[in-house]
Amino acid sequence: MQTTQANPRVSLKNLLFTTDFSPASENAFPYALAYARWYDSKLFVAHVVPPAPRSGIPLEPLPPEADRDWQYAKEGMDNFTKNHAKESRFESVLERGELRDVLPAIILQHEIDLLVLGTHGRHGIKKLILGSVAEQIFRLVTCPVLTVGPKVTPESAPLETLNRILFPTDFSPGSLHALPYALSLAEENEGSILFLHLIELFPLDADPRKVEANTRARLRALVPPEADLWCKPEFVVGQEFPPEGILQLAEERSVDLIVMGVHRASLSKGPPHSPWAIAYEVVCNAHCPVLTVRA
């Protein structure tokens, strides 16, 4: 049985907030401010301007004053800075290029420890047509990502503190990679953690009560001994498909944050039950922010 010996402290020295100046991004910014305050972090606010469309005729790059997309982005960043000048100091970053190239470079250059973003949470046809910038970012970056979905409001997820954190796990190394973040945030806010393991189907020859007892013991072994001094961990074992089970428990227990590990291999397009698909479904439907940590 795997046992957590100590609670490793998480350091969030540099935070990056990405914005497209939309209401979804604006809704997420207070959460970036809250995490920067809790960890006394330096905050960067970034916007990436897409490259100009390719033309069959070779053209010289437009000067900045004639580049409408760049001017629109600059005005957006200036307005953003002006509107939030009283809330916090932050460094603005405005870059042009393909998102897959620019964003990792920003993260590397500024040694970003946490990325914060808002998402529209597109589904179905709209997602196929418009795509999802949030999904692109999930696949691009290696640092943890805090996503504020379309159903998150200050009423559903207060900004002052994290009273209750939900940590769903399948006990895999990728999942447990996120555990230090759940523990550190709970300690920072003197909050509690709900440890959750969901079993889709019990084996036919297994005693459900014995399986549940053994699983609770495995969950209990994840908690460092000293955590009992500042945290009241709870252990929940359920029989449900992961997205539904995670969202249901988060709603029932008024969870302020969900912390999930995401396997690197699962970031490629996969079946609906893959860890990445589960995380994206949770992000789109949760009434609280979701912190995803890549293994």
Side-chain angles (χ1 to χ4, degrees):
M1 181 179 297
Q2 186 166 1
T3 303
T4 301
Q5 298 296 333
N7 177 23
R9 296 286 297 177
V10 169
S11 175
L12 302 179
K13 294 181 180 178
N14 298 309
L15 269 61
L16 175 64
F17 175 73
T18 60
T19 179
D20 58 4
F21 312 120
S22 68
S25 289
E26 191 70 26
N27 187 48
F29 188 58
Y31 294 92
L33 292 178
Y35 279 72
R37 182 176 69 252
W38 293 336
Y39 284 90
D40 193 24
S41 311
K42 182 174 182 180
L43 180 60
F44 297 85
V45 175
H47 176 75
V48 178
V49 185
R54 290 184 175 272
S55 172
I57 303 174
L59 299 173
E60 292 293 328
L62 290 174
E65 62 273 11
D67 189 333
R68 292 185 179 180
D69 290 341
W70 181 265
Q71 287 302 315
Y72 171 80
K74 187 176 184 304
E75 290 174 8
M77 186 63 79
D78 290 342
N79 290 334
F80 185 94
T81 302
K82 180 180 179 181
N83 293 338
H84 294 286
K86 294 181 180 180
E87 298 173 289
S88 177
R89 293 183 179 180
F90 53 84
E91 182 177 327
S92 60
V93 180
L94 191 62
E95 298 284 353
R96 180 158 212 164
E98 295 287 354
L99 187 67
R100 63 174 179 268
D101 300 321
V102 175
L103 190 57
I106 294 174
I107 291 172
L108 182 62
Q109 178 183 353
H110 298 289
E111 299 179 337
I112 299 300
D113 300 302
L114 176 68
L115 173 65
V116 183
L117 61 92
T119 178
H120 302 275
R122 296 188 177 109
H123 286 280
I125 297 297
K126 186 181 291 188
K127 180 172 181 288
L128 290 174
I129 295 173
L130 299 176
S132 169
V133 174
E135 186 174 357
Q136 292 181 51
I137 292 174
F138 282 140
R139 297 173 188 276
L140 283 172
V141 304
T142 55
C143 67
V145 179
L146 180 75
T147 308
V148 180
K151 297 184 179 181
V152 180
T153 64
E155 292 75 25
S156 66
L159 293 164
E160 291 76 17
T161 187
L162 298 176
N163 293 317
R164 184 172 289 116
I165 296 171
L166 174 59
F167 175 67
T169 179
D170 60 2
F171 299 109
S172 66
S175 171
L176 297 179
H177 194 67
L179 179 57
Y181 290 87
L183 292 168
S184 179
L185 286 164
E187 183 175 5
E188 196 73 29
N189 292 273
E190 297 183 353
S192 62
I193 305 180
L194 282 168
F195 290 80
L196 171 66
H197 179 75
L198 294 168
I199 302 171
E200 295 184 21
L201 292 173
F202 285 97
L204 294 176
D205 58 345
D207 181 348
R209 290 175 298 181
K210 184 175 294 186
V211 172
E212 182 174 341
N214 290 339
T215 305
R216 284 180 181 275
R218 292 184 69 187
L219 290 173
R220 184 69 182 86
L222 298 178
V223 183
E226 70 274 13
D228 286 323
L229 299 175
W230 47 261
C231 172
K232 294 181 180 180
E234 296 183 55
F235 310 101
V236 180
V237 179
Q239 184 175 5
E240 181 61 270
F241 292 108
E244 292 81 359
I246 294 169
L247 291 167
Q248 181 179 346
L249 184 62
E251 186 74 11
E252 289 176 352
R253 303 298 296 273
S254 299
V255 165
D256 300 314
L257 176 70
I258 300 171
V259 179
M260 303 179 64
V262 181
H263 306 279
R264 183 179 180 87
S266 71
L267 294 176
S268 59
K269 293 186 180 296
H273 60 272
S274 69
W276 162 245
I278 293 169
Y280 188 73
E281 186 71 20
V282 171
V283 162
C284 292
N285 292 285
H287 289 85
C288 65
V290 179
L291 176 63
T292 50
V293 183
R294 281 177 60 171

